């Protein structure tokens, strides 16, 4: 079901959010305060920042765009759990892929634009590949948080279409039709 949802389509859908990611990342790369912060972070803090940013973006997309299914009418609890699991896996895999792409992009850009002497002067030591990787890791986490806020600017229907496969879209249409019929029956009474 996850493969049928084609998680990679979510990238194209989140164009406004991606603009926020790259704007935040660009600011982080050229800001020497970010350089100092990243150089003082240990692996535990970096992993924590990554996990929090990935969970925040995943949860934000699911909640803000109302992708969470609640059992109702023809939707049983077991199907609701199944759909929610597939939605979480789909969104999480998209977000994780975005994170990895962002990390490697930022790592390359940081090596390109930050001279070792300038970077090293700010962090108080000779800049190594490790320092560039830590900076890219930290800035990627910052960018994902910005993406969470930016994803709220996207249209709910567009995000749903990107997050769900064809079968899920048909089910959503059926639920909307059922709701419309119920509303018409209620208005007649």
């Amino acid at each position: 079901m996850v493969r049928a949802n084609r998680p990679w389509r979510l990238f194209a859908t989140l164009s406004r959010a991606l603009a926020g990611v790259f704007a935040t990342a660009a600011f982080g790369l050229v800001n020497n305060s970010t350089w100092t912060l990243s150089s003082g972070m240990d692996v535990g803090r970096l992993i924590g920042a990554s996990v929090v940013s990935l969970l925040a973006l995943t949860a934000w997309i699911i909640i803000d765009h109302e992708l969470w299914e609640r059992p109702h009418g023809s939707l049983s609890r077991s199907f609701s759990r199944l759909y929610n699991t597939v939605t979480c896996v789909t969104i999480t895999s998209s977000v994780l892929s975005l994170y990895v792409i962002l990390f490697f992009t930022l790592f390359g850009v940081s090596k390109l634009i930050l001279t070792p002497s300038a970077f090293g002067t700010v962090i108080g030591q000779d800049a190594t590949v490790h320092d560039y990787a830590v900076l890219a890791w930290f800035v990627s986490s910052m960018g994902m948080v910005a993406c969470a806020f930016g994803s709220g600017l996207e249209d709910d229907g567009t995000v749903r279409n990107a997050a769900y496969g064809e079968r899920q879209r048909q089910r959503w249409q059926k639920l909307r039709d059922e709701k419309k019929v119920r509303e018409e029956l209620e208005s007649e009474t």
Side-chain angles (χ1 to χ4, degrees), residues 9-23:
R9 291 182 308 161
L10 200 57
F11 293 137
T13 303
L14 294 176
S15 58
R16 291 183 186 127
L18 292 176
V21 168
F22 286 104

Side-chain angles (χ1 to χ4, degrees), residues 67-82:
L67 302 178
W68 196 255
E69 299 281 345
R70 290 173 186 78
H72 55 75
S74 62
L75 186 62
S76 70
R77 282 201 185 291
S78 60
F79 277 117
S80 177
R81 278 193 295 271
L82 174 66

Side-chain angles (χ1 to χ4, degrees), residues 2-175:
V2 171
R3 197 170 112 241
N5 284 348
R6 298 180 303 212
W8 54 89
R9 291 182 308 161
L10 200 57
F11 293 137
T13 303
L14 294 176
S15 58
R16 291 183 186 127
L18 292 176
V21 168
F22 286 104
T24 301
F27 177 76
L29 282 182
V30 299
N31 186 328
N32 63 8
S33 295
T34 306
W35 305 351
T36 304
L37 282 171
S38 71
S39 71
M41 295 187 84
D42 59 19
V43 172
R45 287 184 189 272
L46 289 166
I47 290 171
S50 298
V51 169
V52 167
S53 68
L54 292 168
L55 289 175
L57 179 54
T58 300
W60 189 280
I61 290 171
I62 291 170
I63 293 166
D64 189 51
H65 297 287
E66 300 174 3
L67 302 178
W68 196 255
E69 299 281 345
R70 290 173 186 78
H72 55 75
S74 62
L75 186 62
S76 70
R77 282 201 185 291
S78 60
F79 277 117
S80 177
R81 278 193 295 271
L82 174 66
Y83 290 142
N84 287 334
T85 300
V86 170
T87 297
C88 286
V89 171
T90 300
I91 301 299
T92 301
S93 63
S94 294
V95 167
L96 187 57
S97 298
L98 173 61
Y99 191 93
V100 169
I101 291 167
L102 183 62
F103 169 80
F104 284 109
T105 302
L106 293 176
F107 178 74
V109 169
S110 69
K111 288 287 289 173
L112 183 67
I113 66 170
L114 299 178
T115 63
S117 61
F119 190 24
T121 300
V122 171
I123 63 173
Q125 64 188 24
D126 289 340
T128 64
V129 171
H130 175 266
D131 295 314
Y132 285 99
V134 168
L135 177 62
W137 191 353
F138 180 59
V139 173
S140 294
S141 296
M142 288 174 37
M144 296 308 278
V145 172
C147 188
F149 293 118
S151 71
L153 301 173
E154 303 295 343
D155 176 62
D156 290 343
T158 306
V159 172
R160 273 191 214 106
N161 284 338
Y164 294 144
E166 183 61 32
R167 186 177 309 165
Q168 182 71 0
R169 281 192 289 283
Q170 290 171 352
R171 196 180 67 72
W172 270 90
Q173 185 59 46
K174 181 181 175 188
L175 289 172

